[in-house]
Amino acid sequence: MKRYITLAAFSLTTVCFISCSESFLEVDPRATQIESNYYRNPEEAFNGLVAAYDPMGWEGKGGYGNFVSFVAGSDEAYSGGGSSSDLWYLQTMNDYRLLDPANGPQLDFWSKGFTGVSRVNTLLNVLNEKEIEGLDDAVKARYIAEAKVLRAYYYFDLIRIFGNIPLITAPLSTNEFYEVTQVSPAEVYAQIETDLKEAIAEANLPDKVPAATEGGRITKGIAAALLGKVMVYEEKWGEAADYLSMVNGTPGGTSTYGYKLLDNFSDIFRPDNLFHSESILEITHTSSAASGWGNTSRVEGFIASTMFGPRSYSGPTYDFGWGGCPITPELITLLHNDPRYGTTVNDVDSLVDLGLATYVPGYLNTGYFVKKFAPLQEFKNTGAGPATINYPQNYIEIRLADTYLMEAEALVEAGENLSRAAALLNAVRHRVGLAPVDATLENIHMERRKELATEGHRWHDLVRTGQAATVLQSKGFVAGKNERLPIPLEELTNTKLVQNPQY
């Protein structure tokens, strides 16, 4: 934290320079600006806002702190890679006995989250304390609301992953870095709720934005969905259902914010179908920045695509990858007769058996790979920068089927409006041609497992519902320990931070 907050507090790295004809967050990194010389005009205020968004898309450096770690850490997939020592951060999530303060993906998650928090705090401090000539009051109010949602987003990730974290809501001086202490999770959640509620109440935060020019930008719909999700984790079931209902509207219909389930399940994940009606919170990735190997921590492409590709693959449709996260036989069995199987699972061995493809089986290979984010040949980057780290696919972190199922769960837990809970659950099933079922927690949890498979939700669902220690026992998961990642070792040196239990 001391290193990454220092960097974020005193500079705006990867500042984006864009015109109104280009997509929001279409990154063209050209400069590093010092804060004391910045925020002089509306353009620089906007660039500061974009810099606050930027860590959302970081794939990490070495440990690749993204959703892939939680796919490998769940019962959906194994670590994979070339050997038991390849993709080391995934190995520590696949075998929790290897996870310790010095080994694992935690440093990337920590730096990503606190860099985001620090950039937001810097921006909010400037917008609240400094007069920026020419910056319209309505635009300023919108920026402040967006920044608060971003801070809530970063803190929600940090509290779910680490549990035991500092709460920082203003820029810190260098001397203050070493005096920071952790606070109770309740205090962090209270701040998250405050930020999101204030953003939702801001009249200048739009309900939705034009996808072509502002896709990925914060809206009231995103803020409400995130707040509903936060309250699910807090087990504030009635309030969670209320906020999620704002997002969901009538099951199967189009909500106030314009969200609607897509008719075709496989269309959700097409790289050429960005910011569609089912997408709520979508993390932007692009090949236009031509990211290189020398700065993999700030790659703007979607490295996860290459991670999920078969090693040394040669054949139709797909490009080669690193063999990460081969899908477990258990999930294959569960999905085999489900209509979503063909979109979720890349059965590479069947192509090999037909003589259509070859690949090199990696560590813990099962022959089945993640298909939702597979490296497709038709979208392979042919411009500047290595293709393997410049896939243009976005990552949809929250989508409508997810919020449908969260609201259904909240309603059942609260014992309220079970007919609506059933309608939400069965709208998700109807989309793929499945018959309706009763709205029970068991059915809702199973639907989440199938609908959202390999999208990074399963590990968090297991932890928050208390099932992780049982389900992940074979991977060495220890109750009371592995529900949280360890505080990174180097963040403990000369600070007042305290390590999580049993690490």
Side-chain angles (χ1 to χ4, degrees):
M1 182 178 63
K2 53 186 181 288
R3 215 178 38 246
Y4 297 104
I5 287 185
T6 302
L7 172 66
F10 292 100
S11 69
L12 291 170
T13 57
T14 318
V15 171
C16 304
F17 298 86
I18 68 178
S19 71
C20 59
S21 63
E22 295 174 305
S23 296
F24 187 69
L25 295 185
E26 187 83 355
V27 177
D28 178 18
R30 289 194 255 166
T32 297
Q33 298 289 341
I34 304 303
E35 182 197 347
S36 59
N37 299 326
Y38 214 68
Y39 299 109
R40 297 164 298 185
N41 53 54
E43 180 184 13
E44 292 184 352
F46 178 71
N47 289 339
L49 175 66
V50 174
Y53 273 89
D54 190 52
M56 294 177 78
W58 288 1
E59 296 282 85
K61 183 177 184 179
Y64 299 113
N66 59 21
F67 77 102
V68 178
S69 290
F70 296 112
V71 175
S74 75
D75 58 342
E76 295 180 326
Y78 301 124
S79 51
S83 68
S84 60
S85 61
D86 188 25
L87 307 178
W88 182 245
Y89 72 103
L90 291 187
Q91 308 304 337
T92 65
M93 296 296 290
N94 184 69
D95 183 347
Y96 287 92
R97 290 161 293 200
L98 302 174
L99 182 65
D100 61 45
N103 296 289
Q106 59 270 7
L107 182 59
D108 282 348
F109 285 115
W110 187 273
S111 62
K112 174 180 178 177
F114 277 111
T115 300
V117 166
S118 186
R119 290 185 181 186
V120 168
N121 288 341
T122 298
L123 177 64
L124 286 173
N125 184 64
V126 169
L127 293 175
N128 287 321
E129 302 295 332
K130 181 178 180 179
E131 279 294 325
I132 300 176
E133 186 176 353
L135 183 62
D136 182 79
D137 286 344
V139 174
K140 176 180 176 179
R142 179 184 180 183
Y143 289 0
I144 290 173
E146 288 179 84
K148 287 179 179 179
V149 176
L150 289 172
R151 182 164 64 187
Y153 169 84
Y154 292 126
Y155 265 124
F156 184 47
D157 252 10
L158 288 165
I159 196 67
R160 287 191 300 162
I161 294 170
F162 296 104
N164 186 25
I165 59 174
L167 178 61
I168 304 165
T169 57
L172 299 178
S173 68
T174 304
N175 292 334
E176 291 174 309
F177 296 151
Y178 300 94
E179 301 301 316
V180 169
T181 57
Q182 288 131 309
V183 301
S184 70
E187 292 177 76
V188 178
Y189 274 112
Q191 182 62 51
I192 291 171
E193 284 191 29
T194 296
D195 278 341
L196 291 172
K197 289 176 180 177
E198 289 178 356
I200 292 169
E202 173 52 58
N204 292 291
L205 185 66
D207 288 351
K208 52 187 177 182
V209 295
T213 55
E214 295 188 314
R217 197 166 178 180
I218 297 297
T219 63
K220 284 189 191 295
I222 291 173
L226 184 56
L227 182 53
K229 184 172 183 175
V230 166
M231 289 181 166
V232 165
Y233 278 74
E234 294 182 277
E235 298 186 351
K236 294 182 177 180
W237 302 115
E239 291 178 270
D242 289 342
Y243 280 103
L244 290 167
S245 69
M246 293 167 55
V247 177
N248 295 334
T250 302
T254 302
S255 74
T256 302
Y257 297 125
Y259 302 126
K260 187 180 187 301
L261 293 178
L262 294 185
D263 293 333
N264 188 348
F265 182 72
S266 63
D267 288 345
I268 296 170
F269 310 100
R270 290 281 302 176
D272 54 358
N273 190 30
L274 306 180
F275 307 112
H276 51 66
S277 66
E278 188 166 337
S279 172
I280 298 175
L281 177 57
E282 186 164 334
I283 310 300
T284 303
H285 292 279
T286 177
S287 60
S288 65
S291 300
W293 289 111
N295 193 27
T296 53
S297 60
R298 304 298 178 260
V299 163
E300 300 296 340
F302 192 54
I303 298 179
S305 287
T306 297
M307 185 63 64
F308 292 137
R311 297 181 65 83
S312 302
Y313 175 87
S314 176
T317 309
Y318 308 104
D319 199 32
F320 70 89
W322 296 332
C325 297
I327 296 176
T328 62
E330 179 186 8
L331 183 58
I332 295 301
T333 299
L334 182 71
L335 288 175
H336 191 69
N337 294 317
D338 190 277
R340 291 161 288 204
Y341 176 89
T343 297
T344 305
V345 177
N346 185 5
D347 183 356
V348 177
D349 275 0
S350 66
L351 295 176
V352 173
D353 291 343
L354 292 171
L356 299 175
T358 61
Y359 76 104
V360 176
Y363 181 58
L364 299 175
N365 178 63
T366 64
Y368 300 99
F369 296 86
V370 174
K371 188 173 181 179
K372 289 178 178 177
F373 309 106
L376 298 172
Q377 291 177 4
E378 64 179 303
F379 299 106
K380 182 177 180 179
N381 177 45
T382 57
T388 50
I389 57 175
N390 282 287
Y391 275 92
Q393 184 165 0
N394 288 353
Y395 171 58
I396 304 176
E397 187 158 346
I398 303 178
R399 59 184 177 89
L400 194 60
D402 180 15
T403 57
Y404 270 25
L405 295 172
M406 281 194 288
E407 186 190 346
E409 179 180 351
L411 289 169
V412 172
E413 288 280 14
E416 300 175 356
N417 203 345
L418 298 185
S419 61
R420 177 173 171 84
L424 290 160
L425 168 61
N426 289 313
V428 174
R429 293 176 59 82
H430 176 74
R431 189 252 298 274
V432 294
L434 292 172
V437 294
D438 293 336
T440 65
L441 287 180
E442 182 180 6
N443 285 341
I444 293 166
H445 291 162
M446 179 58 70
E447 202 63 33
R448 286 186 64 81
R449 188 178 182 191
K450 293 179 178 179
E451 171 75 19
L452 304 172
T454 70
E455 294 178 47
H457 300 282
R458 174 68 173 168
W459 186 90
H460 295 289
D461 281 349
L462 289 172
V463 169
R464 70 176 177 83
T465 57
Q467 301 176 71
T470 300
V471 174
L472 302 178
Q473 184 178 21
S474 63
K475 288 193 168 189
F477 190 102
V478 175
K481 176 182 180 180
N482 296 129
E483 291 86 354
R484 300 290 176 260
L485 298 191
I487 307 299
L489 180 63
E490 49 197 277
E491 296 302 325
L492 300 173
T493 307
N494 297 324
T495 71
K496 293 185 178 182
L497 300 182
V498 178
Q499 185 57 270
N500 280 333
Q502 298 193 48
Y503 284 109

